[in-house]
Amino acid sequence: MELEDWKTQIKRGTLEYAILLLISKGDSYGYQIIATLEKYPSLFAKENTVYPLLRRLLKEGYIDSFWREGNEGLPPRKYYAITQKGKEAIAYMSKEWDNLLNDLGNIKGE
């Protein structure tokens, strides 16, 4: 087992969950999501990871998108909003995440 591969695999699934959680807190645009993830080194992802993930979440119906005019002459930005399907996914993921952390905590405590 390569430890960097293990780390990458964990991050992939976790990143989807984190992005859905961020969007559920309020409509967000891509760069805003990337900037927020930068604050959390274990979740940081570059544009070439985040934008394809956003497109897939959009295609699968977990998020919607819309354009909003920019302030003070800035160009319009594409914003993402959570859908009902996305809210249901977050609820499912949250439950599974809590179960996983609980089980790992029990194993570590043994």
Side-chain angles (χ1 to χ4, degrees):
M1 163 179 52
E2 292 292 324
L3 293 179
E4 283 301 312
D5 291 342
W6 176 80
K7 181 179 169 183
T8 300
Q9 291 299 320
I10 287 176
K11 188 175 177 179
R12 277 193 188 133
T14 306
L15 192 57
E16 287 182 18
Y17 182 39
I19 288 173
L20 287 173
L21 286 171
L22 288 173
I23 295 171
S24 75
K25 292 177 183 260
D27 300 342
S28 305
Y29 55 93
Y31 180 77
Q32 183 181 33
I33 293 167
I34 292 167
T36 301
L37 291 172
E38 274 185 32
K39 297 175 187 176
Y40 306 96
S42 64
L43 293 172
F44 174 70
K46 295 181 181 179
E47 292 178 17
N48 62 349
T49 299
V50 173
Y51 285 109
L53 182 52
L54 287 168
R55 282 192 296 274
R56 186 170 58 74
L57 292 170
L58 184 63
K59 182 180 176 184
E60 292 175 356
Y62 295 108
I63 58 175
D64 276 329
S65 67
F66 60 94
W67 290 91
R68 185 180 290 165
E69 288 297 319
N71 296 333
E72 301 176 19
L74 293 173
R77 288 187 168 139
K78 187 176 189 176
Y79 278 77
Y80 299 93
I82 200 77
T83 63
Q84 183 59 39
K85 184 177 179 181
K87 290 176 185 176
E88 292 166 6
I90 289 170
Y92 178 84
M93 291 173 159
S94 293
K95 183 177 184 228
E96 291 302 315
W97 185 258
D98 290 344
N99 290 339
L100 177 65
L101 290 180
N102 185 51
D103 291 346
L104 287 172
N106 288 334
I107 290 170
K108 283 176 66 175
E110 289 181 0

